[in-house]
Amino acid sequence: MKRFILTAVSFMTLLCSCENFIDLQPMDKITMDDYWSTSTELEYYTRQFYPSFCPWTQMVAEMATDNDDMITGSPSVIMNGVRSKTTGNWTGEWTSIRNVNIFFEHYTKCQSGYDAYKQYLGEAYFFRAWFYFNLLKKYGDVPWYSHVIEMDDTEELMRPRDSRLLIADSILADLDNAITHLELRKDVGNNRINKEAALAFKTRVALFEGSWQKYHANTDFGTTGADPTKYFKICVEAAQELMKGDYKVGIYSTGNPDEDYYKLFGFDNMSDINEVLLYRAFNAAEGAGNSTQGFITYNSDSKGITWELVSSYLDKDGKPYDYLNTAATHKGNAFLTKIAEDCDIRLKSTVWIPGDLMSVGENAYFSGPTIEGGALQLCPTGFQVKKTANPNSPAAGKSWETQAETGLILLRYGEVLLNYAEAKCELDNSVAYEALNLLRKRAGMPDFSVNAQSLDKNKVDYGYSITDELYEIRRERRVEMALEGQRDEDYMRWAASALFKNKRPKGYPVDLAQNPNFSSKVDENGLIDYYKGVMPSGYQFRDKQDYLYSIPQDELTLNPNLKQNPGWN
């Protein structure tokens, strides 16, 4: 099957190869009815959305920021409560939605049979859902437009925002339509929008909104009359359909726990991996590569995993591990080696451990974190990111200028299992052992069990009490999906700024005998305290403001019916 590379370069190549297409007027001014007459023309039109729906090229560097699992050279402005009010307008954020709506206004003119164009109709519904979900997460209430709004349509342009419940419900309705029309993954591949990917995305959206409404209830961010249970049920039902239906899904495993989880994120070609429901592929030869390997196997680029994430990993018996006790007797590389020996294999699959092979071609091995490196080389915490590495890649062990082709996972079955488990637990505090054990088995861990929070020597504080069952499911999610771009959405929907507010992220126990310059950069336990000087009181997240972005100022001026988000007036 031909790989469908999701890149702007490929899209432009496509346009240049289709004389009839490039002779058309701009997308937002299409007037020739005969353009929409064939399924091929519908396909060309929907392809424009692939680059904009996935602008990222690297999982860790671009998607895993602004959360308590990883830090960079300077504190997150969102977590630290110093994000400024948005000026200008939000016109650009609506362009793709408007262009999708153009498709919906014209696709019925297609003279091809339904079977010839149904995939592109399904893609259009998926894209609109995806674009609107981004707006929902960012702004909350926004206007819902299901048709093209013209510049002289004052009534529509001056509308107030619709309730986020209407937006969430409309997104889910679009996904139901997408699921109806899309082809199966086995027919179109996982490098193109498919039915399984739409089901997976539906579980993400429903879990997000259910959690948001439950944990933000009775605050300015909640919605009066919201029913979180409704969304948890939708999440469970969509996951069950994917789990029990006739779909090409599964957990990637070759029976080698020491490598399977680690290798999953470093493949170039992920088309044969059942767990990967949707990914972005790259082609370095066409100038459409990425810098993943350069920033993971050569430079750290000021990224560092936090103590808070590392200390969430259980030991190999599935029990909480006393990391501080180990840190008292093991420093630097010795600490990294010790926890790799004692704990969940997913830990050493995510963090570089001394002796790890970084590049076959360069014969490079990890000797220790670059805690004293310059900006490109720096690892500020001592826990250097390994996830997404592939030592066999031609780009491994080389600077970022050498383009890699490491695939970028957007939706995977492992997330669906975690979404399902969390939603079920939210509904009735039950534990989806069978689903969770699929993840545990891949990692060579004991079956999932519920540990009492009182036994956790690294207890996580969400700012409110939760059951032991939900606590352990959240831990499993954090560990399994570390650095995949979901953690910031998680603490936002959980209303859990207590995870980091008034706290500073810490690093590993530095060996002061080898790094004497760090004596003033550690905390009372000898852990690296990188933000000690710039953030003495810890993150200053503003609970009554920072869960949403501000509405751009120009929009408020132009449309007095729009109201500003909480705390931004």
Side-chain angles (χ1 to χ4, degrees):
M1 180 177 294
K2 182 179 178 181
R3 296 174 71 200
F4 187 59
I5 310 297
L6 307 184
T7 63
V9 171
S10 296
F11 179 60
M12 291 308 297
T13 300
L14 172 73
L15 298 189
C16 292
S17 67
C18 304
E19 181 178 349
N20 291 336
F21 188 80
I22 62 175
D23 285 343
L24 291 175
Q25 299 177 43
M27 290 295 184
D28 63 347
K29 297 182 183 301
I30 291 175
T31 57
M32 294 181 293
D33 290 346
D34 58 350
Y35 169 71
W36 304 93
S37 62
T38 69
S39 61
T40 300
E41 289 166 330
L42 298 189
E43 178 185 11
Y44 290 161
Y45 188 87
T46 55
R47 283 195 184 186
Q48 71 173 295
F49 302 114
Y50 275 93
S52 56
F53 116 95
C54 179
W56 314 288
T57 61
Q58 304 174 66
M59 177 184 289
V60 177
E62 298 173 9
M63 297 171 63
T65 57
D66 295 317
N67 65 76
D68 57 337
D69 284 352
M70 186 183 80
I71 67 171
T72 56
S74 57
S76 161
V77 297
I78 295 175
M79 297 171 71
N80 201 25
V82 293
R83 176 177 34 169
S84 59
K85 184 179 292 188
T86 306
T87 57
N89 60 61
W90 60 10
T91 303
E93 297 180 78
W94 294 90
T95 300
S96 292
I97 291 174
R98 185 175 193 275
N99 286 339
V100 174
N101 285 337
I102 289 175
F103 175 93
F104 286 123
E105 288 202 357
H106 292 277
Y107 84 90
T108 55
K109 299 170 184 175
C110 182
Q111 297 173 18
S112 304
Y114 167 72
D115 286 344
Y117 70 77
K118 64 180 182 179
Q119 169 67 19
Y120 320 123
L121 178 58
E123 288 180 3
Y125 277 115
F126 181 95
F127 285 130
R128 188 167 66 184
W130 186 279
F131 296 136
Y132 254 112
F133 187 53
N134 288 338
L135 293 177
L136 177 72
K137 292 182 294 182
K138 186 172 183 178
Y139 297 117
D141 298 350
V142 291
W144 175 265
Y145 294 118
S146 58
H147 60 281
V148 178
I149 307 302
E150 302 299 342
M151 294 302 294
D152 59 354
D153 193 341
T154 305
E155 182 176 353
E156 286 289 341
L157 290 171
M158 300 299 286
R159 278 178 49 199
R161 297 195 284 168
D162 290 308
S163 164
R164 65 176 296 133
L165 293 181
L166 184 148
I167 304 303
D169 290 346
S170 299
I171 291 170
L172 292 168
D174 270 358
L175 288 174
D176 284 337
N177 282 318
I179 292 163
T180 296
H181 301 299
L182 286 167
E183 299 282 6
L184 293 166
R185 180 199 148 159
K186 67 181 178 63
D187 297 319
V188 295
N190 60 353
N191 192 221
R192 185 164 198 156
I193 308 300
N194 56 74
K195 195 181 295 287
E196 290 92 331
L199 278 164
F201 186 43
K202 185 178 178 181
T203 70
R204 183 187 291 180
V205 172
L207 180 63
F208 184 92
E209 191 59 21
S211 305
W212 183 281
Q213 295 298 348
K214 176 176 179 177
Y215 294 102
H216 287 284
N218 302 315
T219 74
D220 288 339
F221 297 103
T223 306
T224 302
D227 179 13
T229 298
K230 164 187 168 180
Y231 296 103
F232 293 137
K233 287 181 178 178
I234 291 173
C235 175
V236 167
E237 290 167 359
Q240 287 176 331
E241 168 65 20
L242 197 52
M243 294 160 65
K244 299 176 181 179
D246 185 20
Y247 300 107
K248 189 176 181 181
V249 297
I251 293 299
Y252 172 74
S253 176
T254 67
N256 186 353
D258 207 45
E259 294 186 348
D260 286 340
Y261 177 83
Y262 166 56
K263 285 187 172 181
L264 171 63
F265 305 96
F267 288 116
D268 290 356
N269 186 345
M270 298 179 171
S271 60
D272 293 329
I273 301 175
N274 287 352
E275 181 168 356
V276 179
L277 306 181
L278 183 65
Y279 84 106
R280 177 175 177 178
F282 297 88
N283 189 321
E286 294 183 0
N290 60 44
S291 301
T292 297
Q293 296 307 315
F295 286 134
I296 296 293
T297 65
Y298 184 76
N299 289 320
S300 187
D301 195 30
S302 298
K303 302 185 300 293
I305 292 171
T306 64
W307 171 273
E308 290 71 28
L309 170 58
V310 168
S311 60
S312 293
Y313 289 79
L314 299 170
D315 67 20
K316 288 184 176 177
D317 293 325
K319 303 299 179 184
Y321 185 77
D322 194 339
Y323 286 87
L324 275 180
N325 185 58
T326 300
T329 56
H330 296 72
K331 306 292 184 182
N333 280 1
F335 178 79
L336 295 174
T337 301
K338 178 63 173 171
I339 62 174
E341 293 172 350
D342 293 349
C343 299
D344 187 334
I345 285 173
R346 288 172 291 187
L347 174 54
K348 73 171 188 177
S349 301
T350 304
V351 178
W352 284 114
I353 306 300
D356 281 348
L357 175 65
M358 302 182 83
S359 170
V360 171
E362 300 298 311
N363 193 31
Y365 291 82
F366 185 71
S367 59
T370 50
I371 59 176
E372 295 189 278
L376 273 177
Q377 295 79 29
L378 176 67
C379 171
T381 64
F383 296 120
Q384 198 156 320
V385 178
K386 178 181 180 180
K387 194 167 184 175
T388 68
N390 180 355
N392 293 298
S393 168
K398 300 176 182 177
S399 183
W400 62 269
E401 294 93 345
T402 301
Q403 293 288 284
E405 295 183 348
T406 310
L408 175 60
I409 299 174
L410 300 174
L411 290 161
R412 67 180 177 100
Y413 188 57
E415 180 194 344
V416 174
L417 298 179
L418 291 163
N419 293 347
Y420 171 71
E422 185 179 338
K424 272 189 67 67
C425 193
E426 289 284 11
L427 284 171
D428 57 16
N429 205 42
S430 62
V431 178
Y433 287 105
E434 184 177 353
L436 294 168
N437 285 340
L438 292 174
L439 301 173
R440 286 291 185 93
K441 183 179 180 180
R442 190 243 304 272
M445 286 287 285
D447 284 350
F448 185 89
S449 62
V450 178
N451 296 299
Q453 296 175 59
S454 59
L455 300 178
D456 194 343
K457 298 176 176 62
N458 315 287
K459 190 173 184 300
V460 173
D461 177 15
Y462 291 102
Y464 48 81
S465 61
I466 58 175
T467 65
D468 289 343
E469 289 80 4
L470 185 56
Y471 182 91
E472 208 60 35
I473 288 170
R474 286 187 179 184
R475 180 208 299 274
E476 191 71 18
R477 180 182 186 86
R478 185 178 200 177
V479 166
E480 175 68 23
M481 298 192 68
L483 311 183
E484 293 183 41
Q486 295 294 306
R487 183 64 179 177
D488 57 335
E489 294 183 17
D490 287 346
Y491 77 72
M492 289 291 190
R493 66 185 174 88
W494 291 336
S497 65
L499 288 166
F500 53 83
K501 186 175 181 179
N502 299 323
K503 304 170 187 175
R504 291 191 301 274
K506 303 298 174 65
Y508 81 158
V510 67
D511 185 344
L512 293 178
Q514 294 184 3
N515 304 97
N517 293 334
F518 272 77
S519 59
S520 62
K521 302 175 185 178
V522 298
D523 71 0
E524 64 277 10
N525 294 307
L527 307 180
I528 290 182
D529 193 351
Y530 187 75
Y531 290 157
K532 188 176 183 178
V534 298
M535 208 169 63
S537 299
Y539 289 116
Q540 296 299 299
F541 187 89
R542 298 165 294 191
D543 291 296
K544 296 184 177 181
Q545 178 172 348
D546 283 323
Y547 283 111
L548 292 172
Y549 276 74
S550 65
I551 302 298
Q553 191 59 47
D554 285 0
E555 300 299 334
L556 298 173
T557 301
L558 292 169
N559 182 3
N561 292 316
L562 292 177
K563 303 301 180 186
Q564 185 56 280
N565 272 328
W568 289 102
N569 286 318

